């Protein structure tokens, strides 16, 4: 069983930066594709981006060139560096782990972008 714990959310000004981290417990972390999702009030949860165990990354068009996902398989962690934040980035951000039929979610961390 994999447990995911996010940290690093908070309040940022437009144009600012935040870094989210997700730490996974359990074994075989490197086998999991790790993703970041977000859900804004009244909207569906959407994929922000994901990184495979080998390091291949993909991003939603809305965050390309602003957000960066990285992982450290030795530390069982995945990070989301968010730059040039916009008010529309305000959401609860969730860490996700997928491997074949297995899927796990973190509890979420709030990111608010406001002046």
């Amino acid at each position: 069983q994999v447990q995911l714990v996010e940290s690093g959310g908070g309040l940022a000004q437009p144009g600012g930066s935040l870094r989210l981290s997700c730490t996974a417990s359990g074994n075989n972390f490197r086998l999991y594709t790790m993703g970041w999702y977000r859900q804004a009030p009244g909207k569906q949860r959407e994929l922000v981006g994901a990184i495979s165990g080998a390091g291949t990354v993909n991003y939603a068009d809305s965050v390309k060139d602003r957000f960066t996902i990285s992982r450290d398989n030795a530390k069982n962690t995945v990070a989301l560096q968010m730059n040039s934040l916009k008010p529309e980035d305000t959401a609860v951000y969730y860490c996700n782990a997928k491997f074949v039929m297995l899927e796990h979610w973190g509890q979420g961390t709030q990111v608010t972008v406001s002046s």
Side-chain angles (χ1 to χ4, degrees), residues 8 16-20 66-68 80-85 89 93 111:
S17 298
L18 282 174
R19 184 178 178 86
L20 305 183
R66 297 190 299 122
F67 290 10
T68 302
L80 177 65
Q81 178 66 42
M82 304 184 291
N83 299 328
S84 302
L85 283 163
D89 294 320
Y93 283 70
V111 170

Side-chain angles (χ1 to χ4, degrees), residues 11-113:
L11 175 66
Q13 292 189 336
S17 298
L18 282 174
R19 184 178 178 86
L20 305 183
S21 294
C22 173
T23 301
S25 64
N27 298 321
N28 299 317
F29 175 78
R30 61 181 177 81
L31 298 179
Y32 286 82
T33 291
M34 300 301 298
W36 287 97
Y37 289 73
R38 67 185 181 186
Q39 188 167 19
K43 294 189 176 181
Q44 288 189 330
R45 191 172 297 189
E46 63 176 2
L47 175 68
V48 174
I51 183 168
S52 71
T56 301
V57 188
N58 64 82
Y59 298 99
D61 287 344
S62 59
V63 305
K64 270 181 186 174
D65 300 324
R66 297 190 299 122
F67 290 10
T68 302
I69 295 175
S70 59
R71 68 187 291 161
D72 185 336
N73 288 336
K75 296 182 179 179
N76 282 18
T77 59
V78 60
L80 177 65
Q81 178 66 42
M82 304 184 291
N83 299 328
S84 302
L85 283 163
K86 303 176 181 179
E88 51 263 43
D89 294 320
T90 295
V92 177
Y93 283 70
Y94 297 89
C95 181
N96 173 274
K98 287 183 184 176
F99 174 61
V100 191
M101 299 296 290
L102 300 175
E103 186 171 28
H104 307 280
W105 292 93
Q107 82 286 355
T109 185
Q110 176 70 45
V111 170
T112 302
V113 184

